[in-house]
Every structure is written in C-alpha cells, then in structure tokens.
Amino acid sequence: LFPNYTVYQAHVSAEPLQVVDTEVVSSATNKFDVLSDVRNPNAHFLASVTYHYFVDGQSTDSQTALILPGQTNIIPSLGLAAGAAPSGATLVFDQTKWTRISNHSIPDPSTWQNDRLNFTLSNFDFKPAGIGTSLTTNDISFDLTNNSAYGYDAPHFLLGLYDQSLLVGVIPFDLSQFPSAATEHLDLRSFASNINVTTVQLFPQINVYDPEVYLPLPK
C-alpha cells in the first residue's frame, strides 16, 4: 500500500515551492490571520516545511506544514494580535525537506492522493453575525462525506472561506475519526467582523503517505 520513499535535499532535483498569494485578513477584534497559497510544482516530491512570517518588522513563531506532490495548500499564521491591520506580510521558509515518491511504487501520485482524499462538501450555509439574527459570530455549516475507501484517525483540516474568488479567512478543525463512507455535520464559527462568505474550500492536512494516519481496515 505504501511506497518506500527516500528523503532528498531540495537542490537534488525538486523545484522550489511557489508562493501564489499572501493575504492579511481580520479574524476577530484586533486579531488577524496571515494566509498564503503555496503550490508544490513537483509531481513526485512531498514537501515538509518549517516557516514563519515577517509582519510589520516582527517575526511570527515558527510552524510546520506539509504540501503534497502537485498540490496547493494554505500556509497560515493565525490569531496575530494587532491594533490595526498589518500593512503586509512575507512568508519565509526556514527549512524545506523533500521526500521523493518512487515512480515504481506510485507512477501517478496525483491520482493516488485523490483516491485517498476523496471528500465531498455539501449543504454549505453561511449566516453572518448580527444581520437579521441574534448571532454574535458568523455561522458556517456544511456536511462532509468521506467517499474514499480509507478511514482516518484524528484528521486535521483547514476550511478556506471565500467571497467569490477572494480568500477572506480560514477555520481549522479536527475530527476524532473519519471512517470510509461516513458523513459528518460541521457547524463552525468565525469571529471576523463584516465578513461575507459565498463559498468554501476544504484543505485536508493529511499526510496520506504516512500509514499512521489511517484507521485499521475492517476485519
């Protein structure tokens, strides 16, 4: 099921990660999130990164993230305290570790990954705070279905919030378990002021190349 893969340094053959865009968005009163869309252009290299942001002359704490071969992920720094919105932010990669996926074990990593991250998000509903309701926070609800043949133990997700095509926020959430064919109803909250959300996008933070993330197969 899982390949034997070997760790390489970036200079061997992997192309650098591509920072597509960086946004600073309000997440609550006097708090902000910094969010970057980062693409891994390599079809056979998994990227494990340690990173921080440089925001208005200050460095954020270092964090880690994973970007699967050929995929784009949101790289966040959440809940930064500031009296006013930062004027800008720069993503800095402290370290990038590349893991090569064997062509012989997995000729097409994109298809292999998609088979395992086959999730459907449906029945999305957004209720903004304070507009015709008694809500004090923004309410984002949806159903999430695992269409894959694989179950996951304690999977972590990021939910990208969009106003049309503009990324306006991210909400992290976890599930205790997510078996194959299961559907979970999620009701999440955003504390951002004056936010409008027309659509959402799921970003699974699951290393499908790690056997530890899977639930045991039924006997």
Side-chain angles (χ1 to χ4, degrees):
L1 175 62
F2 298 98
N4 292 321
Y5 50 84
T6 306
V7 175
Y8 288 80
Q9 296 300 319
H11 67 268
V12 175
S13 58
E15 296 181 23
L17 296 171
Q18 300 169 352
V19 181
V20 180
D21 195 16
T22 297
E23 301 282 351
V24 178
V25 300
S26 173
S27 59
T29 302
N30 295 330
K31 288 193 175 182
F32 299 87
D33 296 339
V34 184
L35 312 169
S36 289
D37 288 320
V38 178
R39 180 175 178 267
N40 179 356
N42 302 282
H44 281 270
F45 281 89
L46 181 152
S48 302
V49 300
T50 303
Y51 68 94
H52 72 276
Y53 280 96
F54 199 62
V55 183
D56 284 354
Q58 300 292 324
S59 293
T60 65
D61 293 337
S62 290
Q63 298 175 257
T64 59
L66 188 80
I67 309 177
L68 299 181
Q71 290 197 339
T72 298
N73 199 2
I74 291 180
I75 304 300
S77 185
L78 304 178
L80 303 179
S87 59
T90 301
L91 176 60
V92 179
F93 294 117
D94 302 312
Q95 183 180 27
T96 303
K97 183 175 76 173
W98 296 101
T99 301
R100 185 171 184 175
I101 310 302
S102 167
N103 288 322
H104 299 289
S105 300
I106 302 180
D108 185 357
S110 177
T111 299
W112 194 89
Q113 292 164 182
N114 290 339
D115 287 343
R116 286 154 178 77
L117 299 175
N118 185 3
F119 306 127
T120 298
L121 193 151
S122 59
N123 300 321
F124 161 70
D125 187 40
F126 172 68
K127 292 185 174 66
I131 301 179
T133 74
S134 60
L135 295 175
T136 57
T137 61
N138 305 290
D139 182 18
I140 298 100
S141 62
F142 57 93
D143 293 326
L144 184 63
T145 300
N146 181 359
N147 300 302
S148 79
Y150 305 89
Y152 295 94
D153 185 30
H156 179 59
F157 300 89
L158 296 177
L159 185 72
L161 311 180
Y162 293 84
D163 185 357
Q164 304 303 325
S165 60
L166 179 65
L167 179 64
V168 296
V170 159
I171 302 178
F173 68 94
D174 302 288
L175 299 177
S176 58
Q177 292 186 339
F178 201 17
S180 173
T183 296
E184 294 281 346
H185 179 74
L186 281 301
D187 196 350
L188 307 179
R189 299 287 188 270
S190 167
F191 295 89
S193 301
N194 302 317
I195 191 175
N196 184 53
V197 180
T198 60
T199 187
V200 293
Q201 183 176 347
L202 188 72
F203 293 87
Q205 307 298 296
I206 302 172
N207 182 2
V208 290
Y209 297 94
D210 180 359
E212 296 298 318
V213 305
Y214 295 92
L215 292 173
L217 294 174
K219 295 182 179 180

